[in-house]
Amino acid sequence: MRRAGLILLVLLVVALAVAAQLVDLPDGTRLRALVDGAGSAAPVVFVAVCALGTAVFFPKPVLATAAGLLFGVGWGSALAIAGFTAGAMIAFTIARGLGRDTVKGWLGERLQVLERVFARRGVEATLVIRLLPILPFALANYGAGVTSVRGRDFALGTALGLVPSTVLAAVLGDALSDLGSPRSIVALSIWAVLAAVGVWWGRNLITAAVRAS
């Protein structure tokens, strides 16, 4: 699953690079002028789209990249993190209502891994999942809802853990028309480092949880 996450990240970057070369993409300044023309409703609508998209399995990196393109790095990252966290909590709440038997049908044995990890360190485990998903983002949200992790720990870990990847995706979105720029290269490099950290940290958490059980 960790390898699948890395493959998806590489495919996303390749797709963005190809799009930047083949399509005459409008720069961020022009798009943000259009967003500004929509008034105060634009940020609210975008947060709602991120929240609902997260709950229904829409790819998070696409929305995070769009945030940078439409709102800039700082404001776009803040809006995306708010929306993703809200969406994660929507899924978390739905899962608690559906019950463990239903969610177990989606996750199988992976639910046992989540349970062991979350039972020990809820905030830390959520941070690891957000750095590099042990499970796809949306499935982890639903899986967490039927584990013993407290809702506030899950919300905090989600919001904090989303910061690095969301900001980096927003940087790429902001520079979508020039993916060869130094800041894009730096962002991709940092993203790769975070992925490696996530693999190491997640492996340690899972190993410790298994030994404790």
Side-chain angles (χ1 to χ4, degrees):
M1 191 59 65
R2 291 188 291 269
R3 183 178 299 174
L6 288 172
I7 291 173
L8 288 174
L9 174 58
V10 171
L11 289 176
L12 174 64
V13 173
V14 171
L16 288 173
V18 171
Q21 295 297 319
L22 299 180
V23 181
D24 184 17
L25 294 170
D27 59 29
T29 302
R30 281 187 287 168
L31 284 175
R32 286 192 285 276
L34 294 174
V35 170
D36 290 341
S40 59
V44 175
V45 170
F46 187 77
V47 169
V49 168
C50 288
L52 293 176
T54 297
V56 299
F57 298 85
F58 190 84
K60 179 175 65 67
V62 174
L63 293 172
T65 304
L69 185 62
L70 296 175
F71 297 96
V73 177
W75 186 224
S77 297
L79 293 174
I81 290 168
F84 295 151
T85 302
M89 294 311 297
I90 290 172
F92 182 91
T93 303
I94 290 173
R96 292 235 155 144
L98 291 175
R100 187 179 182 88
D101 290 342
T102 299
V103 176
K104 186 176 181 180
W106 305 342
L107 298 178
E109 294 302 318
R110 291 175 293 183
L111 182 58
Q112 299 297 326
V113 175
L114 279 178
E115 178 63 67
R116 290 170 183 167
V117 173
F118 278 129
R120 289 172 57 80
R121 300 171 181 173
V123 175
E124 184 181 351
T126 308
L127 276 168
V128 171
I129 288 175
R130 297 329 182 190
L131 280 174
L132 180 67
I134 296 172
L135 297 171
F137 186 77
L139 281 180
N141 296 333
Y142 284 99
V146 293
T147 68
S148 59
V149 66
R150 292 182 295 183
R152 66 182 183 184
D153 288 346
F154 183 70
L156 177 61
T158 293
L160 293 176
L162 282 170
V163 172
S165 61
T166 303
V167 170
L168 293 173
V171 169
L172 293 177
D174 188 45
L176 191 57
S177 59
D178 186 18
L179 286 178
S181 64
R183 64 173 175 163
S184 296
I185 295 172
V186 170
L188 289 171
S189 300
I190 295 174
W191 209 340
V193 171
L194 286 175
V197 171
V199 170
W200 173 80
W201 197 358
R203 183 177 297 167
N204 286 345
L205 274 180
I206 292 172
T207 300
V210 171
R211 287 175 178 172
S213 64

